Amino acid sequence: MYTFSYYKTVLIAFLILAHVNLIGQQHPNLTLTQTGVEQIRKNLGNVPFFDSHLAEVKAEVDAEMLTGIHVPIPKDMAGGYTHDRHKRNFSMLQKAGALYQILQEEKYALYVKEVLMEYARIYNGLPIHPQPRSYARGKIFWQCLNDANWLLYVSQAYDCIYTFLSKKERNHLEDDLFRPFADFISIENPQYFNRIHNHSTWGSAAVGMIGLVMQDEELIQRALYGLKKDGIDKNAKDNDGGFIKKANEKAGFLANIDAPFSPEGYYTEAPYYQRYAMYPYLLFAVGLNNMRPQEKIFDYNNGVLLKAVNTLLNLTDTDGEFYPLNDAQKGMSYFSRELVSSVDIAYHYGDKNPGLLSIANAQGKITLDDAGFAVAMAIEEGKAIPFSKKSMEITDGPDGKQGGITILRAGQVENELNLVAKYSAQGNSHGHYDKLSFSLYHRGEEVLQDYGLARFVNIDQKNGGGYLKENKTWAKQTIAHNTLVVNETSHFKGKYELGSQFHSTKYVSDLSSNGHQLISAKENNAYEGVKMHRTLVMVEDERFENPLILDVFKVKATDKNKYDLPYHYFGQLMSTNFDVKSLESLAPFGKKHGYQHLWLTAKGTATGKIDQLSWFSNNTFHTLSMASEPGDTYLFTKLGANDPEFNLRDDPSFVIRRANTASTLFVNAIETHGSYSPVTEMAENTRSKIKGISILMETEDYSVISINLAEGASIKLYFANNNKNKNQSHSILLDGVEQQWTGPYFIQTN
Amino acid sequence: MYTFSYYKTVLIAFLILAHVNLIGQQHPNLTLTQTGVEQIRKNLGNVPFFDSHLAEVKAEVDAEMLTGIHVPIPKDMAGGYTHDRHKRNFSMLQKAGALYQILQEEKYALYVKEVLMEYARIYNGLPIHPQPRSYARGKIFWQCLNDANWLLYVSQAYDCIYTFLSKKERNHLEDDLFRPFADFISIENPQYFNRIHNHSTWGSAAVGMIGLVMQDEELIQRALYGLKKDGIDKNAKDNDGGFIKKANEKAGFLANIDAPFSPEGYYTEAPYYQRYAMYPYLLFAVGLNNMRPQEKIFDYNNGVLLKAVNTLLNLTDTDGEFYPLNDAQKGMSYFSRELVSSVDIAYHYGDKNPGLLSIANAQGKITLDDAGFAVAMAIEEGKAIPFSKKSMEITDGPDGKQGGITILRAGQVENELNLVAKYSAQGNSHGHYDKLSFSLYHRGEEVLQDYGLARFVNIDQKNGGGYLKENKTWAKQTIAHNTLVVNETSHFKGKYELGSQFHSTKYVSDLSSNGHQLISAKENNAYEGVKMHRTLVMVEDERFENPLILDVFKVKATDKNKYDLPYHYFGQLMSTNFDVKSLESLAPFGKKHGYQHLWLTAKGTATGKIDQLSWFSNNTFHTLSMASEPGDTYLFTKLGANDPEFNLRDDPSFVIRRANTASTLFVNAIETHGSYSPVTEMAENTRSKIKGISILMETEDYSVISINLAEGASIKLYFANNNKNKNQSHSILLDGVEQQWTGPYFIQTN
């Protein structure tokens, strides 16, 4: 009598044979491979992290299948029924395909097949989507981008049931659904497909993935290298105001790796969109790696795709939320599904960094494929160690020469301070006009915020979930950021064409973390006749509960200007040491460049000495200490003016205004201190430790500032301002005392 | 050879003997008793919950003792050094006393003794505290209240080291510290001690506790029954504007149980102050119970003191935070130290309710005494069960006849909806002018808020941590609450003398929770010539994701008035179905009664049909649906006008205004629905289910309203408005159809 095990072996052998198609290509072989499936099946029941996620997905798909098949004629915007339904479909199909492979239960293959047949039945007859909002309208969704999402997910489902289908069925699906679908989002929409943009990455990955499954070399080439002809007008723009394509610019998947990624894998649009784009980048890369290893895709551009995952993970605050640079919805984090797959792929196809396992563990999810299984297995084997985020300098631009982003970190995780300094390129159409801006985080909470975008993604009531006009009129403007505004006008006058031509430049940095960290950058193009140079220092000094932030902003100008330096704080104002007059009626702060959205609520007058402002948020105190000049005014604002549809948040801001001034130096210090508990009602360390700030020297070559604590106690920053002197030995005389140092800066503590 | 165990027995016997003082009284015998100490010592190492807390306290006290003894001459306000230091001292002394008893380590007794000796050295020479802010200034602190805190805590420490001290030492402490201290906060400050007020409860408990330890019958009598003569002027007021004492009013501890507690143990000042007051009430009660069992204090007034703990625990939201009724700082919760001891005492000296154990478990703390040990032991024995909070009706007033508070609850804990309706008495000097107001919570987060107080307790920068003037000008005013304001004037014109004479009256309630719960109350005195009757219904209907709230506010008036019905929501406005015009410049909403603090930001115009407003907060959607009348206007406001010191939060509000109207009916419905995740970016159920609201009948006797859903689907409320008809059988004809029901109301769903 044959044993059960014998039958099982025969069955598996049969299945393996059956999965090799006629031209020799195995299926599945995109994200799930045959070897992977064998490994997974062999270990079912032994890897709890995998098993529990498998059970979850099975329960979800089983429940969905009970509701039947729903392929409605597309009509709604994001947030509407048909949109959500088709979105749900592609996700369910992908999962059902994986379940079929892993559980070998035919019902899942049958479900995938039936849904696909329904799409095949209607696809060719579908008109363009009725909602006319996109520069590239889809057929299933209002924009091609979502159609590409669909195809990228569904390719995986198709790969999983490929051998389950008859040749005739495959021909039907390929002829009536997949190839016309791929053509529609590429040949028929070159303005969508053939450009350098996250949209196009989705497009090329989708076309490439279905091409790989279909073994359609033409589609694969189109995906990798773009359309040879596209007829795109070089002045055409997309809905975000970005240019579609520069003349003679390359397109396709590989060009989309070349252009937006810096050598460290920073994606020029910033983390929110990088997160979104990582999915197609990595998925298609995995498909290529498995089906066309000769492309060596993970080695492409020095392995930038996997470096990008590490960079992206470092662009998160203590809680794993992405810094909302440029257009970014707050709250998006490495718990998103795109980062689940990114982390799994980076682990499995990368250098098996065990720190990634702790993030996978925190995510509590894995992908049901080779990469996810490898992660679950490694966690089961106890290989996870904490993912350590350190201070990090990230360049921007394909050659890494277009400025960048620096993150300074200090303190233990439970009390961590992060400073994010931005001196990058424009960031394509999702860029904001905020050269030399920064934001500050404490314990994963915002202390000085970057507003992010003005949009409620997928919330139908708010412009169908799309960008709101306030994104342009407020969120992108300079005044919406913690950086200098000259004459109430945004950097580059808020003009994309102009801003796209320039980037800021790093001057000097030091992330050594031995008591202080520093990032200093210059911007010479944001305003004609105004050169800006900002230096941010994170000083760890035991006299301060948390590291002290020094913010030294040097302005060199030929003419007299009005300077506004905003700090976008949160929470309740506690005290000021200068006079504040609250206004009896409120008017907008200005007329344009974002000023029209701020209510001016109060005005303060500088004392000409040290001025201080304390506020309280997240049960912590914060104090801004300013080396003021007589004549400086302080302006308190609240967001929300000229906002007829209540699209903006009502956040407060504080603006230092120095008018009628040419060259000048702003020196400010930010303390994060103390705590309050509404349960014990104990308030600790509620006061600033700073007694004075003085500018001891300010010349073309040097800036010397002193933060004065108690009598005889101070922190002094000696700074060389120019490239021509920064690496030399310096000797300067201050109050008859000579101070010597070598290199760009020196911090002296007394 | 004697065994170690023999020595231990002898030692314990010796210690027990040593702890009986000359007049037969044992020590300790207040909160720790000798039997208790034996029990605890016998089980050391066996009750992890107790042991770990003991270890924590030991570590804290050990660390403190290493810093030496600090008894500075008092000078600072709350938040300042001497204030915090003396506060820390009494807490440390209490803990060190307990450690001495439990660990039998002499160093703790020695520490307590040395600190007390230092206080005894300076006390008689101390002038009154230099800060002149209180109606009853202390010597150690700026107010007698804090001095009483000190004495209440220190009594326990003294009890613990009583037998450690020589008679001479005790005489010195009693003559030079404790008795003068007790006299100072009673005889020398009758305006503080001899009244009905939480301050006086602290005073009498403190005097009583030290009296018990000293076996000083005179002090004990003074504590229990107050001063016989006090010479208090009946028109005198305290800092909060409350009367010190009515003519012929009793005083002392027992009178302070009689007056402010309702039969269920609701404390008329509301939960924030009840929480604060529970500590002296219960501590002195425990002392009396242990030292003078003949007083039967826990049976006093039908056991109201222990009932009060249960009531207080029910006055918390899903997260254990107290509803901020009247003057209350938000965030205060049953995790406060007062509730730790209350829960332990209620368990040990009460009916051993195992639900209390789950709260103790969540608190993660116990008191180091008999009660705390009993709780820890019971938890160790696995007796804890969840503390179940149900809908609850709580009366106000000593006889339970001064209106009350009703809490309606529905849904599982993780999705719980709470409605808190207030129709109580004034609440002494901490009361707000908000008759018939309500607040709404979802998952422990505020949906419609009660502002709470305007104060930053113990934060020195904000008026020394004391009440801010905006507490009176905003927080107490009617417009700061979710209830009706007539002619821009607060209830009782905001006059305490007037408000104190009246209370609202419950009309009818139903907490049966079989599909709907209801609370209906009337207020006839807040305005001359205006009778108000509000009915709040929580309808559980499967067509709604969460229970629907119906808010039916009937106004009967002789003259035409201007009515404002505010809803104090939080978060981002999503959409309205009526026209809204945002204003180009902002002015205060009015001149007084709180209106001067609101900026009017936008105006809407009623359609005369159903008007809807949706907003988004805590990742949940909320919709207010209004049966509007032509001519109604909608006013959008933001708090913060006339607030020169930034003492107020900047919360938004929405006000329904119906002007030039005598009798009228406001009918509104509130839906809590849907969800949004910034990580998945999925928005679910973002739209209201309500298509219309109609008033089908509105007479002296009946109100009938209909909430219309889809075609033919509705929820109808039939309501009898009068005491004279409410318990009868009713029959009314609507559109030719007769509807019959019996009793005050009937809900019909189609």
Side-chain angles (χ1 to χ4, degrees), chain A residues 634-647:
Chain A
Y634 301 124
L635 303 158
F636 295 81
T637 70
K638 194 82 80 174
L639 192 55
N642 286 297
D643 178 25
E645 298 186 337
F646 299 89
N647 286 336

Side-chain angles (χ1 to χ4, degrees), chain A residues 443-565:
Chain A
R443 298 182 175 141
E445 302 294 334
E446 296 171 296
V447 176
L448 296 171
Q449 72 158 330
D450 184 327
Y451 187 86
L453 48 58
R455 177 182 177 182
F456 297 85
V457 180
N458 290 330
I459 297 183
D460 193 33
Q461 290 97 313
K462 289 292 192 191
N463 189 32
Y467 277 96
L468 300 164
K469 65 179 187 305
E470 290 77 11
N471 194 59
K472 187 165 182 190
T473 59
W474 166 255
K476 279 178 179 286
Q477 300 297 326
T478 307
I479 189 69
H481 302 83
N482 301 304
T483 190
L484 193 75
V485 188
V486 180
N487 299 327
E488 299 191 29
T489 304
S490 283
H491 297 169
F492 306 107
K493 298 174 183 147
K495 289 189 179 161
Y496 176 63
E497 295 78 354
L498 196 58
S500 298
Q501 296 171 31
F502 300 102
H503 58 82
S504 306
T505 310
K506 188 186 90 169
Y507 171 62
V508 64
S509 67
D510 185 348
L511 313 187
S512 61
S513 190
N514 55 352
H516 41 71
Q517 301 178 66
L518 176 147
I519 175 68
S520 179
K522 298 187 179 192
E523 169 58 48
N524 294 333
N525 302 296
Y527 296 105
E528 253 177 79
V530 180
K531 293 185 173 183
M532 308 193 288
H533 180 185
R534 188 176 219 171
T535 303
L536 293 154
V537 197
M538 191 179 256
V539 181
E540 292 186 57
D541 184 303
E542 61 187 14
R543 291 167 291 185
F544 291 89
E545 186 181 344
N546 293 298
L548 175 70
I549 307 297
L550 297 187
D551 176 8
V552 182
F553 206 125
K554 186 174 169 68
V555 184
K556 194 175 158 189
T558 42
D559 298 323
K560 288 190 172 178
N561 295 300
K562 177 163 68 176
Y563 300 114
D564 286 340
L565 185 58

